[in-house]
Amino acid sequence: MMRTRPLKVALLGCGVVGSEVARIMTTHADDLAARIGAPVELAGVAVRRPDRVREGIDPALVTTDATALVKRGDIDVVVEVIGGIEPARTLITTAFEHGASVVSANKALLAQDGAALHAVAEEHGRDLYYEAAVAGAIPLIRPLRESLAGDKINRVMGIVNGTTNFILDKMDSTGAGYQEALDEATALGYAEADPTADVEGFDAAAKAAILAGIAFHTRVRLDDVYREGMTEVTAADFASAKEMGCTIKLLAICERAADGESVTARVHPAMIPLTHPLASVRGAYNAVFVESDAAGQLMFYGPGAGGSPTASAVLGDLVAVCRNRLSGATGPGESAYAALPVSPMGEVVTRYHISLDVADKPGVLAQVATVFAEHGVSIDTVRQQGKDGEASLVVVTHRASDAALTGTVEALRKLDTVRGVASIMRVEGE
């Protein structure tokens, strides 16, 4: 039997995502009511510029006083899509204190202060849901913390930023340079005027922190995530990748150590074999590859950003939170019981592709091989090309720690026969 009194929703932010949330709440009102068991009513919309025309939204609902809106007391759910740390953090905390549950898409805030927000939600018996904070429309957070709750997740690796994937895919498919591909992404609306958060890996790092925390039942903050951007990736790197049967992706990688006693979280460009499912993810799409003990290998794929896809994830959370509200229950909160330490990047073990500029003369390869051996880094393959007294030497290693590889490169730079290190690229997915 459906309850006739509506559940009241406050919307913080009415930009690309917020306006889509409001539109879907209106156009799909009957379906949402049937799925929830009660009508949902948009009770207020907090914005910075109230004079802007917002199609389909009653101007009487619009306010610039977000604090007053979340303090009303009759609000059942607050949907936060304004982003950033403040005032979002204070508004969400205030919403909990005044009896509302919260649905958020704020990856930066959750990566930095997720534990504190979960604690306030638990203190007041309210929900904090944030499916839209990672990978847009792709159902990912709920499967990790609910569908796979009985399994042991060992690795989460994925493409979680559409802008960077578009740029790298364009470089791969057309031979374009980084700047040319970025310019096209900007012209098409995939990249912001200031793309730093995307291309330097900040956006992906925030998402990696959230995913690692959920997957490994451990608090992982943004500061725990190693981050390396993709601005130094060149057409020459793609040429080398193709020779290895690989492509290059900006990956977010969250791993449990082999002994199960620690975890790592990192974001960086990496070569990945063309046979790996992530290699086929094109354009601005996202995909996340999950490896667990019982379920084995799973991949979640779809549009990772944009108004409608992100709004879809927000509405899914809204339905779940409203159902909980009606039943007097709350959904899963923070699960950090494992409390595993987060290891530094130096302890991460993977393969490496290193391109060196060297003198084209006898004995160079032997010198280079000796340096690798002295640092305990085993060489898998070597390829050398020379002309007019100069040569390039490409070394692909077996698995080695980041610390061992760093020491190797520092020693290589000191050799008189090594003119420079052209590039270093990790090799993942093997």
Side-chain angles (χ1 to χ4, degrees):
M1 183 177 179
M2 183 176 294
R3 192 181 81 164
T4 55
R5 184 173 68 81
L7 292 162
K8 295 189 176 183
V9 177
L11 180 61
L12 307 183
C14 198
V16 173
V17 176
S19 59
E20 276 297 291
V21 170
R23 183 189 67 78
I24 295 171
M25 284 185 63
T26 301
T27 58
H28 295 179
D30 291 343
D31 286 338
L32 290 172
R35 295 166 190 173
I36 292 169
V40 286
E41 174 188 311
L42 188 59
V45 181
V47 300
R48 286 184 297 175
R49 292 182 285 273
D51 297 332
R52 179 179 295 178
V53 175
R54 294 173 172 86
E55 187 176 348
I57 295 178
D58 183 351
L61 297 178
V62 176
T63 178
T64 58
D65 194 343
T67 301
L69 180 59
V70 299
K71 281 184 174 181
R72 273 177 38 175
D74 64 334
I75 300 297
D76 295 289
V77 184
V78 169
V79 174
E80 183 271 310
V81 288
I82 57 178
I85 306 302
E86 288 292 357
R89 174 170 49 197
T90 299
L91 291 170
I92 289 174
T93 300
T94 302
F96 290 139
E97 293 170 348
H98 286 78
S101 290
V102 173
V103 173
S104 176
N106 196 330
K107 54 187 171 290
L109 177 58
L110 290 160
Q112 178 173 306
D113 290 318
L117 293 176
H118 273 295
V120 179
E122 183 176 1
E123 177 186 354
H124 294 279
R126 294 295 177 252
D127 278 323
L128 173 61
Y129 276 48
Y130 42 91
E131 184 69 64
V134 180
I138 304 172
L140 183 59
I141 289 177
R142 192 173 288 112
L144 287 178
R145 71 177 185 177
E146 296 182 29
S147 303
L148 297 174
D151 206 343
K152 179 183 178 183
I153 297 173
N154 297 310
R155 195 176 205 221
V156 179
M157 179 172 74
I159 300 160
V160 294
N161 183 279
T163 299
T164 55
N165 200 58
F166 178 89
I167 293 170
L168 291 172
D169 182 41
K170 185 61 62 173
M171 293 175 69
D172 185 28
S173 61
T174 68
Y178 166 75
Q179 189 60 52
E180 183 183 350
L182 172 60
D183 290 344
E184 183 172 350
T186 303
L188 293 172
Y190 291 125
E192 301 287 345
D194 179 1
T196 302
D198 295 323
V199 300
E200 293 294 352
F202 291 102
D203 176 84
K207 296 170 182 176
I210 295 169
L211 291 175
I214 296 170
F216 306 132
H217 304 277
T218 292
R219 286 179 178 171
V220 179
R221 289 172 51 89
L222 181 58
D223 292 345
D224 296 321
V225 182
Y226 172 83
R227 177 196 55 78
E228 185 180 317
M230 49 156 281
T231 58
E232 301 301 317
V233 176
T234 66
D237 291 325
F238 274 101
S240 295
K242 287 181 179 180
E243 290 178 357
M244 289 181 59
C246 294
T247 188
I248 299 172
K249 299 292 186 181
L250 184 74
L251 298 178
I253 304 173
C254 312
E255 290 181 303
R256 188 189 299 270
D259 62 6
E261 297 302 315
S262 64
V263 299
T264 58
R266 50 197 166 102
V267 169
H268 54 72
M271 293 183 180
I272 187 167
L274 294 175
T275 53
H276 194 283
L278 290 176
S280 62
V281 178
R282 311 301 298 269
Y285 274 69
N286 285 191
V288 177
F289 198 73
V290 178
E291 300 176 28
S292 68
D293 277 0
Q297 297 179 334
L298 307 169
M299 192 168 89
F300 301 84
Y301 168 85
S308 293
T310 305
S312 171
V314 170
L315 268 295
D317 278 351
L318 179 63
V319 169
V321 169
C322 286
R323 286 172 175 171
N324 292 342
R325 191 82 171 185
L326 289 179
S327 65
T330 55
E334 183 191 32
S335 176
Y337 73 90
L340 296 171
V342 182
S343 297
M345 187 62 185
E347 297 180 15
V348 170
V349 175
T350 189
R351 297 179 67 204
Y352 291 86
H353 176 283
I354 305 104
S355 295
L356 304 172
D357 295 327
V358 300
D360 186 14
K361 63 181 184 179
V364 173
L365 179 56
Q367 285 184 322
V368 169
T370 298
V371 170
F372 276 89
E374 288 174 347
H375 288 81
V377 179
S378 176
I379 294 175
D380 182 17
T381 63
V382 178
R383 186 176 70 256
Q384 184 173 6
Q385 294 176 324
K387 184 179 180 181
D388 298 330
E390 298 294 330
S392 63
L393 192 65
V394 176
V395 179
V396 180
T397 74
H398 288 291
R399 291 174 64 82
S401 72
D402 189 83
L405 196 282
T406 298
T408 302
V409 172
E410 289 176 354
L412 288 170
R413 294 183 192 276
K414 296 176 182 179
L415 293 178
D416 291 339
T417 51
V418 175
R419 310 297 193 213
V421 179
S423 70
I424 302 171
M425 186 79 65
R426 296 172 182 86
V427 183
E428 303 286 350
E430 295 186 331

